[in-house]
Amino acid sequence: MSNCDKNNFDMSELDSSLPAAAAALSAEERAGLVNALKDKLQSFSAQHVDILETLSPNVRKRVEVLREIQSQHDELEAKFQEEKAVLEAKYQKLYQPLYTKRYEIVNGVTEVGVTDASGQGDTKSDEAIGVPEFWLTAMKTNEVLAEEITERDEEALKFLKDIKSSRIDNPKGFKLEFFFDANPFFKNTVLSKTYHMIDEDEPILEKAIGTQIEWNSGKCLTQKVMKKKPKKGSKNAKPIMKTEKCDSFFNFFSPPEVPDDEDEIDEEEAEELQNLMEQDYDIGSTIRDKIIPHAVSWFTGEAVEGDDIDMVDDDGNEDDDDEDEDEDDEDDDEDDDDEEEAVKSKKPSVPKRNVKGHAPEGQSGERPPECKQHGRTFLLVAWPVIHW
């Protein structure tokens, strides 16, 4: 297939197969998406020029044909991403009435309590409105979020009425909104967190923006006041008051900031920033992808069982991990024996212990996001394998 045929393929042969909903993107936008994929592939191709030069002419020709096939695949993939975005938008609209009904029941707007034969409402249901502590319980059941919620946070999260997620287009990303009843902790009725993505499909995170919480006096959950006794003999007998930052779920609304000047931080600080932003994105995506769509299952605990099933490997065999642990234990025993032998002998060397490595992040199917700011890349992840 010639380059001319390849260029015609991306538009003429596929436009007829697109659903009518895909017309939301203009031909110019579709062409731009395809060209972006081509540019990405070309940037990688420069790294493989040396490999091609080592091939014989016949093999190189076959590889060139394979590259054209790969290009056609990428054009199809671009079409898939277009249709996927349209489909997601369609179903987000279909979900909304269900989320509204859930909100009404949870907050007692709609009564669905069971009544007995006498017409009296169920006694236990009458004692409470809606489903108390619904969102707090759902969030605490999730392992990722449970680590962020402190006992002090729980009192404030009992006032949480609803959580919503929405997709934003300019810039690309998503927004989380937390709706609260009037409470003694802060004045805000809505706390939001917005994630700006350079590329949603990779994904590449540019930055996150949170709401500034208007804490009531003495009620700030993200800080604690420390009292320090004055030194003996000091003229000032009053204790010294010191404010320190403390662990709290509400730190989520004050995300780590990427400095404008990349020279302001060294490698160690960049690595720490990377970890913080990765953790922040993990919390946000967990709320968006797990808690909001499946809140009832997290409230009842059923979602935990589903998460446990996901941890089973692709072969559906949980025993493999146990076997690996047994093998590791045997290796440790052998290492211990080796160490004992080394002590008994007069050799000065001690056998080295095997260090178990950790699996790279993103093995579960979703890679953690990259974070880019002014030339420096944070949250570095491996690029997907490119097939030529």
Side-chain angles (χ1 to χ4, degrees):
M1 179 182 290
S2 66
N3 289 335
C4 181
D5 293 335
K6 179 183 68 174
N7 291 333
N8 290 334
F9 178 83
D10 65 287
M11 300 278 67
S12 61
E13 295 185 18
L14 291 178
D15 281 346
S16 60
S17 65
L18 285 174
L25 292 174
S26 66
E28 183 179 354
E29 290 173 327
R30 292 199 299 271
L33 187 57
V34 171
N35 289 333
L37 272 174
K38 289 181 178 179
D39 291 341
K40 183 177 177 181
L41 288 172
Q42 288 173 359
S43 67
F44 281 104
S45 67
Q47 303 173 13
H48 296 274
V49 172
D50 293 340
I51 297 177
L52 294 177
E53 291 178 351
T54 63
L55 302 176
S56 65
N58 288 336
V59 174
R60 186 187 304 178
K61 184 176 181 180
R62 295 176 193 131
V63 173
E64 290 295 343
V65 173
L66 291 175
R67 293 178 69 182
E68 290 183 356
I69 294 173
Q70 181 65 46
S71 179
Q72 295 175 35
H73 171 278
D74 295 329
E75 290 166 0
L76 283 170
E77 185 178 19
K79 296 291 183 180
F80 162 72
Q81 294 297 340
E82 293 175 14
E83 297 185 34
K84 177 185 174 184
V86 173
L87 197 61
E88 286 179 348
K90 171 186 174 181
Y91 276 88
Q92 280 299 324
K93 291 181 180 179
L94 296 176
Y95 292 147
Q96 292 312 311
L98 303 179
Y99 293 155
T100 299
K101 290 180 180 179
R102 181 177 69 187
Y103 168 85
E104 292 175 348
I105 294 173
V106 166
N107 295 284
V109 178
T110 299
E111 184 54 70
V112 293
V114 180
T115 57
D116 56 28
S118 63
Q120 300 295 323
D122 180 68
T123 304
K124 293 183 179 179
S125 298
D126 289 342
E127 294 175 355
I129 298 175
V131 184
E133 303 178 20
F134 176 80
W135 288 102
L136 170 60
T137 304
M139 293 167 66
K140 284 179 60 181
T141 308
N142 180 273
E143 184 178 3
V144 172
L145 301 183
E147 294 179 358
E148 305 299 320
I149 299 173
T150 67
E151 289 185 10
R152 297 173 68 211
D153 294 332
E154 291 184 19
E155 290 302 315
L157 290 173
K158 289 178 181 178
F159 293 91
L160 182 56
K161 299 191 300 181
D162 199 11
I163 309 177
K164 292 183 179 181
S165 172
S166 58
R167 185 177 183 136
I168 58 176
D169 294 322
N170 190 20
K172 295 288 186 180
F174 66 94
K175 182 178 183 180
L176 299 173
E177 293 178 292
F178 298 73
F179 296 83
F180 286 85
D181 261 329
N183 63 81
F185 294 92
F186 45 81
K187 298 179 177 65
N188 313 67
T189 57
V190 181
L191 300 179
S192 65
K193 181 70 171 286
T194 305
Y195 289 90
H196 291 175
M197 314 298 292
I198 296 176
D199 188 335
E200 289 179 288
D201 300 317
E202 287 299 339
I204 302 175
L205 176 63
E206 180 181 17
K207 64 179 177 178
I209 303 173
T211 299
Q212 183 176 351
I213 302 177
E214 301 176 31
W215 296 104
N216 290 326
S217 178
K219 293 293 185 178
C220 180
L221 297 173
T222 59
Q223 294 180 344
K224 58 183 178 181
V225 179
M226 307 292 291
K227 291 183 179 180
K228 187 177 180 180
K229 293 182 179 180
K231 295 180 180 180
K232 291 183 179 181
S234 174
K235 295 181 180 180
N236 186 6
K238 294 182 179 180
I240 301 173
M241 310 297 288
K242 185 178 180 182
T243 302
E244 293 183 355
K245 186 175 180 179
C246 63
D247 292 337
S248 171
F249 170 77
F250 290 93
N251 286 323
F252 175 67
F253 299 99
S254 299
E257 296 182 2
V258 179
D260 293 333
D261 187 355
E262 62 182 60
D263 295 329
E264 291 180 5
I265 56 176
D266 56 27
E267 290 300 323
E268 184 176 344
E269 292 173 327
E271 183 177 354
E272 181 181 357
L273 178 62
Q274 168 181 324
N275 293 333
L276 290 173
M277 297 190 74
E278 182 178 323
Q279 181 183 12
D280 180 77
Y281 182 83
D282 190 25
I283 296 170
S285 60
T286 295
I287 294 172
R288 178 193 63 179
D289 300 333
K290 293 187 176 182
I291 302 299
I292 293 177
H294 307 292
V296 178
S297 298
W298 286 105
F299 177 83
T300 61
E302 296 167 290
V304 178
E305 299 175 5
D307 258 19
D308 291 340
I309 293 175
D310 291 340
M311 302 210 33
V312 179
D313 53 11
D314 294 337
D315 295 332
N317 190 351
E318 292 180 306
D319 296 334
D320 288 348
D321 292 338
D322 296 334
E323 291 176 3
D324 291 341
E325 290 178 2
D326 292 339
E327 291 177 1
D328 291 338
D329 290 340
E330 291 177 3
D331 291 340
D332 290 341
D333 291 340
E334 291 177 2
D335 289 340
D336 292 338
D337 293 339
D338 291 341
E339 288 180 356
E340 291 176 4
E341 291 296 331
V343 172
K344 291 178 182 178
S345 65
K346 294 184 179 180
K347 295 180 181 179
S349 62
V350 178
K352 295 181 180 179
R353 305 283 296 193
N354 290 330
V355 180
K356 297 178 183 178
H358 296 283
E361 297 185 30
Q363 293 288 335
S364 61
E366 292 185 6
R367 300 190 308 282
E370 289 185 27
C371 292
K372 294 187 176 179
Q373 184 79 4
H374 297 280
R376 182 187 288 270
T377 301
F378 297 95
L379 300 190
L380 296 177
V381 294
W383 284 95
V385 176
I386 303 297
H387 302 283
W388 299 101

